[in-house]
Amino acid sequence: MEKSILVTGGSGFIGSNFILQWIEQERSPVVNLDKLTYAGNPRNLISISSDPRYGFAQGDICDRERVRELLQRHQPRAVVHFAAESHVDRSIKGPDDFIRTNVHGTFCLLEEVRAYYAELTPPERNLFRILHISTDEVYGSLGPDDSPFCETTAYAPNSPYSATKAGADHLVRAYHHTYGLPTLTTNCSNNYGPFQFPEKLIPLVVLNARAGKPLPVYGDGMNVRDWLFVEDHCRAIRRVLARGKPGETYNIGGHNEQKNLTVVQTICALLEELAPERKPKGLRYFRDLVAFVADRPGHDARYATDATKIARQLNWRPKETFESGLRKTVQWYLENEAWWQHTLTGEYRLARIGQPASRGETSPA
């Protein structure tokens, strides 16, 4: 059997989608290291919990002894680093956890990977990679006529979240240039798709609309984001891991710029088509639930990501349009009520599926 990969934060939204796709498409075993904060849901991976190629280890990336133990035991050929605090609103209310996980946690991981890498044989070093997953928010905000972010765009983060991710990006870059660690970094645009925590815009709108609750839109709703279907993002990560050049950064975007208000209105139209019978009594149109609220502090006006580099060098392009990806996403939430009900009630945090309670760990066979 091929050597495993170690994934941090693999029970979260993007990480779990990545692991599911990896198990379906690749041969290498996966070890998932996750702290299981509010955003980490073991139910995301229930379909592969008995697969001999999947193993789970509960732990914190800030726990260097735990990270060291897993590296030594599993001897992975790669580390894919998703673990992060990622919600802007939460970072504004309480940035401490973001600094601890996104900056200090990345530092701890890099230090342990550096020590592990030093002990590898020359052939093993040639194959080893550590891939850091980041965000386009590190680049700041664009004006309506500005060119999209590219890999050489100067960093200008505007929230505690994006500032901590920028700090992590700089550490990863420094560990390549200073210590020769074979790092890779990806900066992605806004993701959406199955298993996204309901605090994020698209699942929040779907579930609030079903419940007849207001659909909150910041400011005038004209803020623009580039939307990337999560399965396309995961394909891009796999491509970068397989073919990316150590030390390089690759932007990943969906080529789907949309105003926030347009996203909400499109979801409402899809719900009218796909689930008119689920409309709350007395409500004429789902769009009537739209409610404009006070704008977020420091709200970036526009994100747009230039993914030319990954297209030209690694031959990756998104498969989904915004329309096709959003339709799949809305349909998924309509068909998976048990998942989001468990998430909303917090029951998922009480059930650790496929994990021994004493140790919180299973290993690939």
Side-chain angles (χ1 to χ4, degrees):
M1 183 175 286
E2 293 189 10
K3 295 190 71 171
S4 65
I5 66 168
L6 175 64
V7 175
T8 72
S11 297
F13 164 47
I14 303 175
S16 61
N17 274 281
F18 173 79
I19 290 176
L20 290 170
Q21 189 179 102
W22 183 275
I23 292 295
E24 180 183 352
Q25 300 289 333
E26 306 283 351
R27 297 172 58 189
S28 302
V30 178
V31 178
N32 171 19
L33 170 63
D34 200 295
K35 186 179 177 181
L36 295 180
T37 64
Y38 80 95
N41 189 343
R43 294 182 66 88
N44 297 1
L45 297 165
I46 190 172
S47 64
I48 61 166
S49 60
S50 60
D51 192 299
R53 293 173 298 152
Y54 173 67
F56 174 82
Q58 187 168 356
D60 187 340
I61 57 171
C62 294
D63 183 349
R64 291 179 58 172
E65 183 177 344
R66 182 66 161 145
V67 174
R68 186 181 315 132
E69 171 196 357
L70 292 171
L71 290 170
Q72 292 174 350
R73 180 188 308 175
H74 297 287
Q75 296 288 302
R77 66 176 178 86
V79 175
V80 184
H81 178 36
F82 291 96
E85 295 286 344
S86 65
H87 191 46
V88 173
D89 287 348
R90 287 178 183 263
S91 81
I92 293 170
K93 294 176 182 177
D96 301 50
D97 286 343
F98 289 73
I99 294 169
R100 180 184 182 277
T101 299
N102 298 357
V103 180
H104 183 64
T106 298
F107 162 73
C108 291
L109 181 67
L110 286 168
E111 277 290 279
E112 292 306 320
V113 170
R114 179 165 73 96
Y116 168 73
Y117 179 72
E119 299 300 319
L120 296 178
T121 65
E124 289 172 332
R125 288 191 189 187
N126 289 337
L127 293 175
F128 184 81
R129 300 288 185 272
I130 174 170
L131 171 52
H132 167 61
I133 313 301
S134 191
T135 171
D136 63 354
E137 296 188 38
V138 299
Y139 300 122
S141 183
L142 293 168
D145 300 319
D146 290 340
S147 298
F149 302 129
C150 66
E151 288 81 358
T152 57
T153 300
Y155 276 33
N158 292 318
S159 71
Y161 161 60
S162 57
T164 58
K165 290 299 287 185
D169 291 6
H170 292 319
L171 281 171
V172 171
R173 174 185 170 87
Y175 271 65
H176 171 72
H177 288 279
T178 303
Y179 302 115
L181 204 61
T183 64
L184 299 158
T185 298
T186 57
N187 295 87
C188 68
S189 59
N190 279 45
N191 278 228
Y192 67 100
F195 301 114
Q196 189 168 28
F197 196 78
E199 68 186 355
K200 298 298 179 77
L201 177 64
I202 288 176
L204 178 69
V205 169
V206 174
L207 303 188
N208 275 19
R210 278 207 47 187
K213 296 179 180 179
L215 309 181
V217 177
Y218 280 129
D220 59 5
M222 293 297 105
N223 301 74
V224 174
R225 300 293 182 262
D226 175 17
W227 292 93
L228 173 66
F229 189 57
V230 68
E231 292 179 11
D232 280 331
H233 185 197
C234 294
R235 287 194 307 106
I237 294 168
R238 287 170 48 225
R239 186 65 56 88
V240 171
L241 188 61
R243 304 186 191 177
K245 181 180 177 182
E248 290 293 309
T249 295
Y250 299 89
N251 280 356
I252 305 171
H255 307 301
N256 290 309
E257 287 188 58
Q258 301 287 339
K259 296 181 178 67
N260 286 347
L261 181 58
T262 301
V263 173
V264 174
Q265 292 171 334
T266 304
I267 294 171
C268 290
L270 282 168
L271 289 171
E272 296 286 354
E273 175 192 343
L274 299 173
E277 75 285 355
R278 301 189 186 185
K279 192 179 301 175
K281 187 177 180 180
L283 182 66
R284 186 176 182 186
Y285 298 111
F286 283 111
R287 66 173 180 265
D288 294 337
L289 295 169
V290 172
F292 294 96
V293 299
D295 209 354
R296 166 192 286 164
H299 199 181
D300 291 333
R302 172 177 169 243
Y303 303 146
T305 304
D306 182 349
T308 301
K309 178 178 177 179
I310 191 173
R312 287 180 178 173
Q313 296 186 8
L314 305 184
N315 195 30
W316 174 89
R317 292 170 181 80
K319 291 182 177 180
E320 300 293 340
T321 64
F322 180 70
E323 291 74 19
S324 66
L326 191 60
R327 176 177 290 271
K328 288 182 177 181
T329 301
V330 172
Q331 191 70 57
W332 187 88
Y333 280 96
L334 292 174
E335 294 174 354
N336 289 272
E337 183 170 348
W339 179 88
W340 56 259
Q341 288 285 12
H342 276 275
T343 303
L344 290 175
T345 61
E347 289 181 36
Y348 70 100
R349 301 197 69 181
L350 303 177
R352 299 311 189 206
I353 298 168
Q355 299 154 23
S358 60
R359 190 61 182 144
E361 183 167 341
T362 58
S363 295

